[in-house]
Amino acid sequence: MNNESLYQFSSLTVILLLLAFYGGTYLMTFGIRKKNEDADAFMVSNHRVGFGMGAASMTATWIWAASFYAAATSGYTYGVSGPIHYGLWGALMILFIYPFGRRFRKLAPNAHTLGELIHARHGASSQLILALSNVLGSVISLMVNFTAAGALVSVLSPLSFQAGVIIAGFGVLLYTLWSGFRASVLTDFAQLVALMAIAIVIIPAVFFAMGGPSQLVAGLANLTPEQNNFFSPDAILNQGAPFFVAVLAYAIGNQTISQRLFAVNEDHIKPTFLTATLGYGAIVIGLGMIGLMALTLGIEPLNGDMNNLIPQMVSSYLSPFFIALFFILVIGSLSSTADSDLSALSAIIMADVYGKNIARGKADPKRMLFIGRLTMIVATVVGIVFASFSLDILVMLVFVGALWGAIVFPVIASCFWDRVTNTAFTVSVVAAMLLFCIARFELVPLTGLGGLFFELLASIGGGVIIGLMVFGFLGRTIGFIVGVLAMIAMLIFATGFLHDYTVLLASLTAYGTSTLVCVVLSLASRKPRFDFATIGRKVGNYDHTLDEKSADDRPQTPPRHTTANA
């Protein structure tokens, strides 16, 4: 893993840097510890996070290890358009939760997870499907961040990959275990301030050390025609389009986003998500430019591993002082996301699994806290074990994003359309995931009639994605019209060749299948229409005093029962 041409710190120096970082974050959270922590604060800070802390937490959470490694990989692989394809679509993942998030928060202002809302809407089976997808996504995210830590430590020091993974895992657990989400938000703010200060220095420093704009322009001659083309079909179909498809999937399916949606003060939702969108896009596109620069210089990733590209560039071109700053930068970014994943996983197990299905509305808040902390410990161990496999980050991101695509339409439709049933939700998600796996792993030939079948479903999926995005900001009618037009365009231009791009085909198939099955089964059902007003009465806080305050603040609405008494 190591190379004598790259600068390395001593093992002692790296250990001291890690101890300083994780020790500092622990001391920071020590100041907010309560003798008797309550479950609602542990999960969503009692729904009282302000604009500044909320925007900083969202930005820091979303600028994670993949923002460094996968952004650089994208620039290195696809050339001039690579950084845009990763950074822009990643930013939109934050933006597109906002219009739908307003609806989620209106229906269940005191929710802790999106799964609680779905439980009130449909029942246990639909909620557990959503919870399972979130658990899978958060575990993969933990694995990605711990993998990045191992790669960083192994490149910049004599320590092994496994040592870096273990130190990062238990370091994050150390400061998150007691206060949960509150600790995550507080450290996110501090980590973002440091991250932005260092990024403003590090990114230009690497760029100019490698030769600056003149070297970049000169090196473009070494790129292939596809890599030189800003509108490269190869980059669009293999990178841009799959990430664009994943925009809504991550926005709806990622509990780290939903958790902040329910935690932020309701009046600050819009500025929080808009600010985080801009902050993320600006920093990550800059990081992707480092990968592009490496491509123009003809640099080969160390040991052929793309995960080593960013630390390799920094180690090769910067002084030890800047390398130390970079080390802290990456450790802070991956830790801010890892602690959010631990908080998300604990909230899912506490609220979705224990609160709604095991305790069945009679949850003991103290037992919930114990379960939440135990979940964090187990998740950390699982993340460390899976990180040892050192899987490709970019591939894992596309895979989980496509799986989340199966739940997007059923979740959104359930919150806006009163005819969606539990059966329609459950069957549509299961069918979509089944067909996604068949297409993604090519379990049947994707040529001839079989390929045409999946291309038709994918065309429906493309129309659904565009339609939902427009619907979120411009309303139902315009969204429906634009979605139909997008589907027709897909049927005309995409059939016949889309089967050659299995990642994109499978992702769109998940959207198309879930939408088609959900709509058909909902229209066929003769069950009475759902009363959305019941959701707010079914989803409440676990602390009685919070619900009493909520009732005082909203005298125009009926009193909400606490979850413990629901």
Side-chain angles (χ1 to χ4, degrees), residues 327-377:
F327 184 85
I328 296 298
L329 176 68
V330 179
I331 292 297
S333 69
L334 67 86
S335 297
S336 68
T337 305
D339 63 43
S340 297
D341 287 319
L342 291 180
S343 298
L345 284 165
S346 64
I348 291 169
I349 302 301
M350 290 167 70
D352 294 346
V353 177
Y354 171 72
K356 291 296 184 182
N357 291 285
I358 297 178
R360 296 187 180 278
K362 298 180 180 179
D364 178 357
K366 291 184 178 180
R367 182 170 296 176
M368 289 185 77
L369 285 170
F370 172 78
I371 291 172
R373 291 178 178 130
L374 180 62
T375 299
M376 287 185 173
I377 295 171

Side-chain angles (χ1 to χ4, degrees), residues 38-317:
D38 64 83
D40 298 287
F42 191 86
M43 288 189 283
V44 289
S45 294
N46 297 331
H47 318 284
R48 296 172 186 167
V49 175
F51 161 64
M53 295 291 286
S57 180
M58 176 59 72
T59 305
T61 295
W62 216 233
I63 299 178
W64 57 325
S67 301
F68 288 79
Y69 295 89
T73 298
S74 184
Y76 187 87
T77 304
Y78 298 108
V80 294
S81 63
I84 300 296
H85 283 310
Y86 189 89
L88 180 60
W89 307 137
L92 288 181
M93 292 177 192
I94 303 173
L95 179 64
F96 276 97
I97 188 62
Y98 160 63
F100 302 110
R102 290 183 304 174
R103 176 66 173 175
F104 301 156
R105 191 67 182 269
K106 180 180 179 181
L107 292 176
N110 291 328
H112 308 83
T113 69
L114 188 56
E116 286 183 307
L117 190 159
I118 295 301
H119 184 277
R121 175 68 173 87
H122 289 305
S125 62
S126 296
Q127 179 211 20
L128 290 176
I129 285 177
L130 184 60
L132 179 62
S133 70
N134 273 294
V135 168
L136 176 63
S138 291
V139 169
I140 289 177
S141 178
L142 275 176
M143 180 201 73
V144 167
N145 284 287
F146 295 160
T147 297
L152 181 70
V153 168
S154 64
V155 168
L156 297 183
S157 79
L159 293 173
S160 67
F161 171 86
Q162 288 75 15
V165 169
I166 293 172
I167 294 172
F170 286 102
V172 171
L173 180 64
L174 175 71
Y175 70 82
T176 312
L177 185 62
W178 186 262
S179 300
F181 182 76
R182 294 193 306 117
S184 176
V185 171
L186 178 64
T187 56
D188 282 347
F189 183 83
Q191 288 161 359
L192 179 66
V193 171
L195 186 150
M196 293 183 68
I198 297 174
I200 291 172
V201 175
I202 289 290
I203 295 175
V206 174
F207 186 69
F208 284 101
M210 296 171 68
S214 60
Q215 182 61 51
L216 176 63
V217 173
L220 293 178
N222 300 325
L223 274 58
T224 66
E226 282 290 325
Q227 291 172 332
N228 256 317
N229 182 5
F230 190 80
F231 300 100
S232 163
D234 180 59
I236 291 172
L237 291 171
N238 286 303
Q239 173 75 59
F243 263 67
F244 180 77
V245 168
V247 164
L248 280 177
Y250 272 86
I252 301 300
N254 195 318
Q255 168 62 15
T256 62
I257 294 181
S258 299
Q259 196 166 16
R260 280 153 182 78
L261 169 69
F262 290 117
V264 171
N265 186 304
E266 201 164 353
D267 296 333
H268 298 153
I269 292 176
K270 181 177 180 178
T272 294
F273 283 87
L274 289 177
T275 302
T277 297
L278 295 174
Y280 174 90
I283 294 176
V284 173
I285 290 174
L287 291 168
M289 293 299 294
I290 296 178
L292 174 60
M293 195 69 172
L295 175 66
T296 62
L297 293 177
I299 295 173
E300 293 292 330
L302 185 65
N303 293 336
D305 187 351
M306 284 292 192
N307 293 344
N308 291 331
L309 187 60
I310 284 278
Q312 177 185 350
M313 300 301 293
V314 172
S315 178
S316 299
Y317 287 95

Side-chain angles (χ1 to χ4, degrees), residues 410-428:
V411 167
I412 293 177
S414 295
C415 295
F416 288 90
W417 189 20
D418 56 10
R419 294 192 62 173
V420 179
T421 63
N422 182 48
T423 299
F425 187 107
T426 305
V427 174
S428 64

